[in-house]
Amino acid sequence: MVIYNVTIKIEWAIHEAWRNWMLEEHMPEVVATGCFVKCQLLRLLEIDETDGPTFAAQYMAVSLEDYSTYIREHAAGMRKKVTEKWGNQVVAFRSLMEVVH
């Protein structure tokens, strides 16, 4: 199993609306691509939240091939939707992890 992790810093002014949108719309839409079997949203603790909270959206894929399909066929469109909705009020970076145990 691989985990596609998107770490996102959110401005305080939008954090509740963004969180609701992520849980109700965006994350289900990503899973609905069929490339991931489940997802979870986590909030980072013990970090500087002066400018806003930081979250990690994690999407679990059965295989690297499923993840690659998502990146190739869906990622650009999903990222565009985020940018169109939230603009520069969110900053994200992405990483890929493999479940070892």
Side-chain angles (χ1 to χ4, degrees):
M1 177 151 318
V2 294
I3 299 174
Y4 175 46
N5 184 84
V6 184
T7 304
I8 312 119
K9 180 82 170 178
I10 310 300
E11 290 186 8
W12 280 117
I14 64 159
H15 85 282
E16 287 184 29
W18 174 87
R19 185 184 62 222
N20 292 338
W21 175 79
M22 283 291 286
L23 293 171
E24 296 169 10
E25 294 181 42
H26 185 69
M27 294 179 80
E29 187 177 8
V30 171
V31 173
T33 65
C35 299
F36 301 101
V37 293
K38 67 179 184 173
C39 62
Q40 64 183 2
L41 184 64
L42 303 97
R43 183 170 175 177
L44 278 66
L45 302 175
E46 297 185 341
I47 61 168
D48 180 5
E49 291 191 334
T50 303
D51 296 326
T54 301
F55 292 86
Q58 296 186 335
Y59 304 91
M60 291 73 172
V62 172
S63 67
L64 188 55
E65 187 175 310
D66 289 340
Y67 161 78
S68 296
T69 298
Y70 174 79
I71 293 301
R72 186 177 57 253
E73 298 178 11
H74 305 283
M78 294 294 182
R79 291 175 188 175
K80 182 179 178 185
K81 288 180 183 182
V82 172
T83 301
E84 288 174 351
K85 184 156 184 77
W86 305 107
N88 63 359
Q89 297 177 93
V90 301
V91 177
F93 74 89
R94 294 152 183 87
S95 54
L96 184 64
M97 300 176 274
E98 179 182 32
V99 176
V100 176
H101 178 68

